[in-house]
Structure formats: structure tokens, C-alpha cells
């Protein structure tokens, strides 16, 4: 039943008229997988949440004119651009959303901020610590002029994860002892899968470490409310050469997905296929991480468990409306992990959606992300995760990569801004 009886029996008039929300023109650079997900979020947020600004899909950008025009038509963007430099200076664009490979994040973000735009940038923030530092500096300068910048770690916006953060911040787990995170995929198991941009260091920065590891490092610091201060890592590239995509030459790859097929010529894989690392949080709690695109049978398996002196939490993205909580203060005879169905209006984001028990999905995280950023812009408050938070993640990834190069030597992470709760 989609509507409760009590609601169906109540007759109400139209909502009180108020001033129309001011438009917030969004320009997005990139139109593939993440572009589609972000488009869904921007289209949906203003229709579900009562926002102080109305997101308008002003323009989408990409190098292929036919492809970007098709994406604009499919996802509801008013205009299509083939030059991101023109997109970021459009008068009808107040916010630039960056959904491109990591090698272009810094250039686009800095230019957009200098053009007076707010910025949302997909994770990882950049391909290097130096680029991320330049982005933070640009964001700090833009903040003085009223522009805001946020990095897109969308899994923070899963209601169950946001609720887990609330429980930890409220002290329900007490002092944290262990955090464990894994992120497992299998789309590279086939050695004949072609050499897409995600497998080239010059475009992606790193492999599973940056692509998947960035998410779980951010979640560990977000949930714990404190940064990682050191890591010890191992990484491996199991398939070192792959077929080039049709129409590309050695040293050059195009964007692609699991459906693309390669040609006869092969090129080197220059990023990791998998990474495992341990770490220590600032409080002394121990952390472990595993990120791989070589786990056959696992499509998008992000799992976590956090243990504290007073209790534990566990979450599995494949059951993303559920959170498992153990209260260690209960009598042993009746204690144990209990399943919390995170669909109640009291849970984060849920009051705007469906009646309890009606589950949400992956795509909703992007609507939540859009809501949080729009509200921050309207209020003039700093959004989270900030570019500084993205830099902290980048420093952890760089330390892990350095450690892996030294065969798991413990590598301190340079002091950075505390991750925002």
C-alpha cells in the first residue's frame, strides 16, 4: 500500500504559497557512468526535498559532440558543450559538477572556482597530493569570495551509513578499537577486458587503490570522526597487459565500460588491480582495508565493521537499507547483532521519501548529495566532505602507494585537516 489509510482519509488544501526558489544553474563536465548518476541526482533532488535553491540542468560538457548531445537529451540538460572552458564561464551556470577522469579534476576545478562558480568534484579529488593541495588552495581563496567546493563521496549519503555516523558520534560504540573495510569488484577478472582509461596511471592516477580505496578510506575517517595517521600496504597488478580499445593506439586509451571489446594490439596496465593495507587512526584504533577489481563474483561489495568498547556496527552495500548494531552493554544471554531497517522518517534523509519499509537504492545517494550541497550553498556554510577532506584521503592513498612500493613498510601520513564529521 503506497499511501497510509490515515493519510488517504485526510483532506488538505494546497500548500501555502511562498516565494519561488531561486534557480541554481548546474553545468556538468563528463557524461558517462558518473555523469548519468549525477544527472539523476540533480533531476531528483528538487522534486523530493524542499530546497532553498532550485537546481537547473543548464549545460553538460564532453569532447564528442554527438555523444554529449545525446547525453543532454537523455538526461534533461538544456545545452551541450564540447569545451569545458566555455561551460565554466557560462552566465547560466553557477555550479560546476566535475565527472571526468582524475587527470583533469584539478585544472577544471581551479578554473571553475576562479570563474566564480561553486564546485562539486567526483572522487578521488585528484591524481596526486600536489594537485589536491592546489585544489584546496583554490577552494580556500574562493571561499573568501563566497564560492563553495565539495568532493563527491556519495556513500556518505547512504542513510544507513549516515545513521551509523550518528550512533558513533553519540557514543553508542564508546572508544573505537577496530575499523574494517573491504570493497570488492570483479570487472577485471577477464584478462581480455580492454585497456580503458581506468587502467592507465596518467589518466586514473591509480587503480583499485584510488577508485575503490578512496571510498573506504573516506568512510573510515568519516565514521570514526578522526584521520588515519599511518598505513602499511601491499598492491599487485595481476594482468599486466590488456587489449587496446578499438580505435586507439599504444599509449592511448578511451573511456569504456564492461561492455566494450578490445582489439588485437595490447598495451601495458600501469595501475594496481588490488591493494590491501592496514592503518592506525589518530586515537590508536586499528584499521584494515582491501580494495580489488579482481574478486570474481563480487560486483560492488562494499562492507564494513566497526568495533568499540561498548558495541559494534556492520554494513553491507548489497543490503544498503540495513544496518547491524550490537550493544555490548546488554546481558550476554540476550545480546547480539540486531538488524535495523533504515527506512524510518527519523533516519537521515528518509522523511522526504516513502513510508517505512519502502527501500531506497544506489541512485538516491546522488539526490542526497545534491540536497546537501544546495542547502550549504544557500546557507553559506561549508559543505562536507570538503576539498580539505579529499586532500586527507589523497594523502592516505599516497602513503599506501609509497608503502606498497617498499613492500609494506609502515608509512606515516602527513598531518592534515581533521576530517569533518
Amino acid at each position: 500500500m503506497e499511501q497510509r489509510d490515515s493519510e488517504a482519509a485526510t483532506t488538505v488544501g494546497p500548500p501555502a504559497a511562498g516565494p519561488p526558489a531561486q534557480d541554481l544553474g548546474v553545468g556538468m563536465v563528463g557524461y558517462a557512468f558518473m555523469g548519468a548518476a549525477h544527472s539523476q541526482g540533480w533531476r531528483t533532488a528538487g522534486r523530493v526535498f524542499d530546497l532553498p535553491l532550485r537546481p537547473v540542468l543548464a549545460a553538460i560538457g564532453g569532447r564528442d559532440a554527438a555523444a554529449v548531445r545525446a547525453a543532454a537529451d537523455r538526461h534533461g540538460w538544456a545545452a551541450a558543450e564540447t569545451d569545458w572552458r566555455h561551460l565554466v564561464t557560462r552566465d547560466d551556470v553557477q555550479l560546476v559538477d566535475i565527472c571526468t577522469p582524475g587527470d583533469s579534476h584539478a585544472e577544471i576545478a581551479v578554473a571553475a572556482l576562479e570563474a566564480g562558480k561553486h564546485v562539486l568534484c567526483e572522487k578521488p579529488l585528484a591524481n596526486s597530493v600536489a594537485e589536491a593541495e592546489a585544489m584546496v588552495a583554490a577552494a580556500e581563496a574562493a571561499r573568501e569570495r563566497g564560492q563553495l567546493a565539495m568532493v563527491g563521496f556519495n556513500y556518505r549519503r547512504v542513510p544507513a551509513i549516515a545513521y551509523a555516523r550518528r550512533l558513533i558520534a553519540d557514543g553508542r560504540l564508546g572508544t573505537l578499537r577496530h575499523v574494517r573495510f573491504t570493497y570488492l569488484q570483479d570487472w577485471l577478472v577477464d584478462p581480455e577486458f580492454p585497456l580503458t582509461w581506468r587502467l592507465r596511471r596518467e589518466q586514473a592516477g591509480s587503480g583499485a587503490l584510488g577508485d575503490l580505496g578512496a571510498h573506504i578510506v573516506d568512510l573510515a575517517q568519516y565514521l570514526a570522526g578522526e584521520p588515519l595517521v599511518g598505513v602499511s600496504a601491499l598492491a599487485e597488478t595481476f594482468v599486466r597487459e590488456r587489449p587496446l580499445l578499438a580505435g586507439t593506439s599504444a599509449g592511448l586509451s578511451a573511456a569504456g565500460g564492461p561492455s566494450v571489446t578490445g582489439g588485437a594490439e595490447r598495451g601495458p596496465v600501469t595501475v594496481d588491480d588490488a591493494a590491501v593495507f592496514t592503518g592506525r587512526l589518530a586515537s590508536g584504533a586499528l584499521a584494515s582495508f582491501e580494495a580489488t577489481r579482481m574478486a570474481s563474483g563480487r560486483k560492488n561489495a562494499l562492507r564494513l565493521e566497526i568495533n568499540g568498547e561498548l558495541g559494534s556496527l556492520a554494513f553491507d552495500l548489497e543490503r544498503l537499507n540495513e544496518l547491524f548494531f550490537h550493544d555490548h552493554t546488554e546481558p550476554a544471554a540476550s545480546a547480539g547483532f540486531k538488524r535495523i531497517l533504515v527506512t524510518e522518517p527519523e533516519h537521515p534523509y528518509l522523511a522526504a521519501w516513502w513510508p517505512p519499509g519502502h527501500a531506497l537504492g544506489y541512485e538516491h545517494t546522488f539526490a542526497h548529495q545534491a540536497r546537501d550541497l544546495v542547502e550549504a550553498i544557500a546557507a553559506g556554510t561549508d559543505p562536507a566532505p570538503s576539498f580539505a577532506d579529499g586532500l586527507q584521503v589523497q594523502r592516505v592513498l599516497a602513503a599506501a602507494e609509497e608503502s606498497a612500493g617498499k613492500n609494506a613498510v609502515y608509512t606515516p601520513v602527513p598531518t592534515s585537516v581533521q576530517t569533518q564529521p
Side-chain angles (χ1 to χ4, degrees):
M1 182 171 65
E2 295 301 325
Q3 188 177 40
R4 300 179 212 172
D5 292 340
S6 60
E7 294 172 343
T10 301
T11 301
V12 297
Q22 180 181 348
D23 287 350
L24 177 70
V26 180
M28 189 169 71
V29 187
Y31 56 84
F33 168 38
M34 273 298 106
H38 282 228
S39 297
Q40 172 86 354
W42 290 119
R43 283 198 313 270
T44 304
R47 292 174 169 84
V48 174
F49 299 100
D50 185 13
L51 296 181
L53 300 171
R54 186 173 74 95
V56 175
L57 281 64
I60 185 173
R63 288 175 294 184
D64 185 318
V68 74
R69 183 66 258 174
D73 293 341
R74 181 181 306 113
H75 299 302
W77 294 87
E81 296 278 2
T82 55
D83 187 343
W84 65 261
R85 295 169 183 83
H86 187 258
L87 183 145
V88 304
T89 59
R90 288 177 62 113
D91 291 338
D92 59 349
V93 169
Q94 289 82 51
L95 183 151
V96 174
D97 185 354
I98 304 169
C99 296
T100 59
D103 62 325
S104 60
H105 284 185
E107 184 180 14
I108 299 173
V110 171
L113 290 167
E114 290 179 347
K117 314 298 183 180
H118 307 291
V119 171
L120 171 62
C121 182
E122 252 304 318
K123 50 59 60 181
L125 184 61
N127 278 3
S128 69
V129 169
E131 288 178 340
E133 288 174 338
M135 295 171 73
V136 169
E140 290 173 348
R143 183 70 179 89
E144 297 298 317
R145 303 188 298 269
Q147 282 81 56
L148 303 180
M150 188 173 86
V151 59
F153 284 109
N154 67 295
Y155 291 134
R156 288 191 182 202
R157 271 76 187 190
V158 173
I161 289 179
Y163 186 58
R165 170 60 187 150
R166 184 184 298 175
L167 291 173
I168 294 170
D170 288 346
R172 298 294 297 275
L173 269 60
T175 300
L176 301 185
R177 303 280 172 71
H178 298 280
V179 299
R180 302 182 186 88
F181 288 78
T182 62
Y183 200 164
L184 315 177
Q185 296 181 348
D186 72 354
W187 59 278
L188 288 182
V189 169
D190 182 359
E192 295 305 305
F193 185 90
L195 192 67
T196 70
W197 69 266
R198 291 185 183 274
L199 305 180
R200 305 307 302 271
R201 176 173 294 277
E202 63 271 21
Q203 291 179 277
S206 64
L209 179 62
D211 186 21
L212 308 181
H215 272 303
I216 54 180
V217 166
D218 178 69
L219 286 180
Q221 297 182 132
Y222 165 63
L223 289 170
E226 57 182 298
L228 285 155
V229 297
V231 296
S232 179
L234 292 170
E236 184 57 69
T237 304
F238 297 110
V239 179
R240 297 186 176 273
E241 287 190 345
R242 290 184 178 273
L244 296 181
L245 286 164
T248 64
S249 58
L252 178 67
S253 61
S259 62
V260 297
T261 57
E265 190 178 359
R266 306 180 77 85
V269 175
T270 52
V271 299
D272 59 281
D273 286 331
V276 295
F277 55 102
T278 56
R280 188 183 298 275
L281 292 167
S283 64
L286 300 181
S288 65
F289 303 87
E290 181 180 4
T292 180
R293 302 188 292 208
M294 286 289 205
S296 56
R298 299 298 181 192
K299 301 303 177 184
N300 200 40
L302 190 162
R303 298 170 179 173
L304 66 89
E305 182 169 320
I306 300 178
N307 309 121
E309 61 173 335
L310 301 180
S312 296
L313 288 169
F315 171 80
D316 183 344
L317 186 63
E318 294 178 348
R319 303 172 68 175
L320 60 71
N321 293 278
E322 301 176 10
L323 182 67
F324 291 84
F325 173 57
H326 165 64
D327 185 345
H328 202 62
T329 67
E330 292 184 2
S334 59
F337 277 91
K338 71 175 182 180
R339 170 181 172 268
I340 302 172
L341 184 63
V342 186
T343 60
E344 296 293 326
E346 295 81 9
H347 291 138
Y349 304 105
L350 268 300
W353 290 103
W354 319 120
H358 292 67
L360 301 190
Y362 170 77
E363 72 277 12
H364 296 82
T365 64
F366 296 97
H368 300 163
Q369 176 174 269
R371 186 208 78 165
D372 289 348
L373 181 52
V374 169
E375 290 186 344
I377 291 171
T381 57
D382 294 325
S386 66
F387 274 19
D389 294 324
L391 170 58
Q392 168 62 16
V393 171
Q394 201 70 46
R395 285 175 169 160
V396 174
L397 298 178
E401 190 167 33
E402 179 183 344
S403 174
K406 298 175 181 176
N407 201 25
V409 171
Y410 183 81
T411 304
V413 176
T415 302
S416 182
V417 177
Q418 184 96 356
T419 300
Q420 296 184 18

